[in-house]
Amino acid sequence: MELNMHLSREQAIFFETMLDLNYEFEIELLILAYHDFSRLDFSVLSDKDVHSRANHLIKHYEALGKGVDLYDVRWEILIKLDLDDAEWEYLDLDQ
């Protein structure tokens, strides 16, 4: 089976920038950085501008995460949600 995957110019630049920066922090920070990145108006940005914005956002969220325990932040939200019927692979909400 062949997987046909399409990446946009912006996605390719973001991922390559992430690798160039040797990103080794929590996945949550990377997702938050990409979320902000994806909201930009790319139609007016050059390739270099897209790279610069990706670089800035990755470094910004990396710096924000140095003093935060994202597991605790996420857990505080999860225990308040109505997830009794959710099926989790590894998370046991009864503990």
Side-chain angles (χ1 to χ4, degrees):
M1 183 171 98
E2 182 179 322
L3 179 63
N4 189 2
M5 184 177 277
H6 172 75
L7 285 179
S8 69
R9 164 187 80 129
E10 297 80 20
Q11 291 169 327
I13 291 172
F14 184 89
F15 295 138
E16 201 58 34
T17 303
M18 176 195 73
L19 292 173
D20 181 56
L21 293 173
N22 198 25
Y23 188 85
E24 295 180 358
F25 289 85
E26 288 88 354
I27 190 70
E28 292 94 335
L29 296 172
L30 187 61
I31 292 169
L32 293 171
Y34 187 78
H35 180 264
D36 283 358
F37 176 77
S38 67
R39 297 171 70 194
L40 297 173
D41 181 5
F42 296 115
S43 66
V44 298
L45 297 176
S46 69
D47 295 342
K48 184 178 176 184
D49 291 336
V50 172
H51 172 266
S52 177
R53 300 287 174 90
N55 193 333
H56 169 76
L57 285 168
I58 291 169
K59 287 181 177 180
H60 174 74
Y61 277 96
E62 186 177 68
L64 284 177
K66 288 186 179 179
V68 176
D69 185 346
L70 291 170
Y71 178 82
D72 289 342
V73 172
R74 188 173 65 248
W75 187 250
E76 285 180 31
I77 295 169
L78 286 174
I79 60 174
K80 295 176 187 174
L81 300 177
D82 182 17
L83 296 173
D84 293 339
D85 294 330
E87 293 183 24
W88 300 91
E89 293 294 322
Y90 303 109
L91 183 64
D92 186 358
L93 291 177
D94 294 331
Q95 290 184 355

